[in-house]
């Protein structure tokens, strides 16, 4: 098998794709042909097939071509194909488990309706995505960041999840109260909430704040900027004045804390 090459038609058939798609991947630099034969036909070796497998896996996980290119370039520089494929495999298994729980949930609902029994709301949504921000996390901090945090979340007991959600709620409430009180982001009151916020981030596996040697300072400052730029996140800190005032307060307080302590 060493040194073997496959034609573009063979690769298209094996991967259930089209020659046109492969030519497009070549044109944009995502999957260059290993060589071009004298007759002008593209040939692909084992390394190219490995890269194509990863491209298709990432595409099925919902990433766009520019994101796929970024992930491939980053993961290749950090440890090679086998490490990256292990990460993809873990994600696929997690997705498999999530789909299995969705199937069981829907089957249970059907049986409940068929039997005329009362629906159990707490069982109806098992396996449905608990976060709206998977793509954002993967784009900014990588596939492993999402996989680690998702595994941690799903491994929690019900009481642990409730406690964690209460902690998030308390942080949001205290941020809004501090912003509406008119205190300076550098004040003792605001900096205490910032300290708690960073401690909360450090407890979430997969984030730079939870990884030894991670760029915690850059991560915290970047999150603050994201709270202002992205209304999905900024909504958690919306004050009665509306707009991005609350998110801007959080951003400024986190920056002060990060620059002084991280």
């Amino acid at each position: 098998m060493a040194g073997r090459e496959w034609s573009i038609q063979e690769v298209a058939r094996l991967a259930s794709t089209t020659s046109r798609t492969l030519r497009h991947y070549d044109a944009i630099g995502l999957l260059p042909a290993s060589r071009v034969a004298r007759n002008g036909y593209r040939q692909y070796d084992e390394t190219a097939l490995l890269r194509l497998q990863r491209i298709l896996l990432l595409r099925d996980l919902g990433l766009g071509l520019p994101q796929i290119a970024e992930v491939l370039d980053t993961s290749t520089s950090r440890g090679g194909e086998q490490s990256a494929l292990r990460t993809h495999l873990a994600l696929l298994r997690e997705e498999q488990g999530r789909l299995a729980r969705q199937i069981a949930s829907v089957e249970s609902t059907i049986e409940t309706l068929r039997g005329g029994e009362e629906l159990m709301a707490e069982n109806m949504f098992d396996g449905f995505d608990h976060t709206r921000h998977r793509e954002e996390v993967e784009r900014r901090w990588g596939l492993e960041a999402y996989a680690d945090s998702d595994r941690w979340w799903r491994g929690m007991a019900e009481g642990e999840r409730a406690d964690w959600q209460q902690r998030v709620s308390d942080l949001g409430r205290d941020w809004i109260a501090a912003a509406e009180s008119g205190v300076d982001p550098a004040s003792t009151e605001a900096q205490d909430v910032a300290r708690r916020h960073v401690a909360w981030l450090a407890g979430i596996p997969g984030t730079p704040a939870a990884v030894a040697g991670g760029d915690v300072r850059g991560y915290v400052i970047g999150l603050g900027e994201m709270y202002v730029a992205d209304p999905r996140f900024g909504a958690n800190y919306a004050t009665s004045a509306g707009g991005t005032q609350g998110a801007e307060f959080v951003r400024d307080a986190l920056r002060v804390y990060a620059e002084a302590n991280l």
Side-chain angles (χ1 to χ4, degrees):
M1 296 294 289
R4 179 178 175 182
E5 292 182 331
W6 291 261
S7 69
I8 189 170
Q9 293 86 0
E10 289 176 314
V11 175
R13 177 179 56 81
L14 289 168
S16 299
T17 186
T18 66
S19 297
R20 181 179 179 181
T21 296
L22 294 174
R23 286 194 293 270
H24 176 62
Y25 289 170
D26 192 346
I28 64 176
L30 184 61
L31 181 68
S34 304
R35 71 179 182 92
V36 179
R38 290 183 179 179
N39 58 9
Y41 289 172
R42 292 171 172 83
Q43 300 289 318
Y44 297 84
D45 60 14
E46 291 183 348
T47 300
L49 262 59
L50 278 171
R51 186 174 177 91
L52 177 59
Q53 182 186 50
R54 294 175 60 199
I55 290 169
L56 298 178
L57 286 169
L58 291 166
R59 191 182 66 184
D60 286 346
L61 289 170
L63 275 69
L65 296 184
Q67 294 171 301
I68 290 174
E70 182 180 347
V71 169
L72 290 179
D73 291 343
T74 301
S75 60
T76 298
S77 65
R78 289 182 180 176
E81 303 290 343
Q82 290 189 34
S83 175
L85 285 170
R86 281 194 293 270
T87 299
H88 298 323
L89 180 60
L91 286 167
L92 289 169
R93 284 174 172 163
E94 295 224 359
E95 183 69 5
Q96 181 184 48
R98 187 181 69 83
L99 289 173
R101 291 195 301 276
Q102 280 191 357
I103 291 170
S105 175
V106 174
E107 287 178 341
S108 176
T109 299
I110 291 172
E111 289 300 317
T112 300
L113 292 172
R114 181 181 298 162
E117 302 172 12
E118 181 179 354
L119 289 172
M120 300 295 290
E122 62 270 22
N123 296 330
M124 290 174 63
F125 304 103
D126 185 29
F128 291 85
D129 197 359
H130 63 268
T131 176
R132 296 167 295 169
H133 307 304
R134 172 175 180 164
E135 183 176 341
E136 185 77 19
V137 172
E138 290 178 339
R139 183 176 68 82
R140 288 176 178 270
W141 299 296
L143 295 170
E144 289 187 65
Y146 179 83
D148 289 346
S149 61
D150 185 68
R151 189 179 305 109
W152 161 75
W153 175 261
R154 296 188 189 283
M156 281 186 176
E158 184 176 345
E160 291 175 322
R161 287 186 185 177
D163 290 343
W164 190 86
Q165 289 170 326
Q166 184 62 52
R167 189 177 180 186
V168 174
S169 177
D170 290 345
L171 274 172
R173 178 201 63 210
D174 293 346
W175 274 125
I176 292 171
E180 291 184 333
S181 71
V183 299
D184 190 279
S187 67
T188 301
E189 296 89 338
Q191 288 301 291
D192 182 62
V193 185
R195 176 189 55 77
R196 289 165 48 205
H197 195 99
V198 172
W200 164 65
L201 292 172
I204 304 174
T207 70
V211 177
D215 181 13
V216 183
R217 180 176 180 176
Y219 170 61
V220 171
I221 292 174
L223 272 182
E225 296 291 348
M226 189 170 68
Y227 293 159
V228 176
D230 192 329
R232 296 172 302 167
F233 294 93
N236 295 318
Y237 310 110
T239 64
S240 57
T244 60
Q245 176 186 332
E248 290 172 6
F249 181 88
V250 177
R251 175 200 61 193
D252 294 345
L254 287 175
R255 177 175 287 277
V256 170
Y257 182 85
E259 291 179 346
N261 300 282
L262 302 177

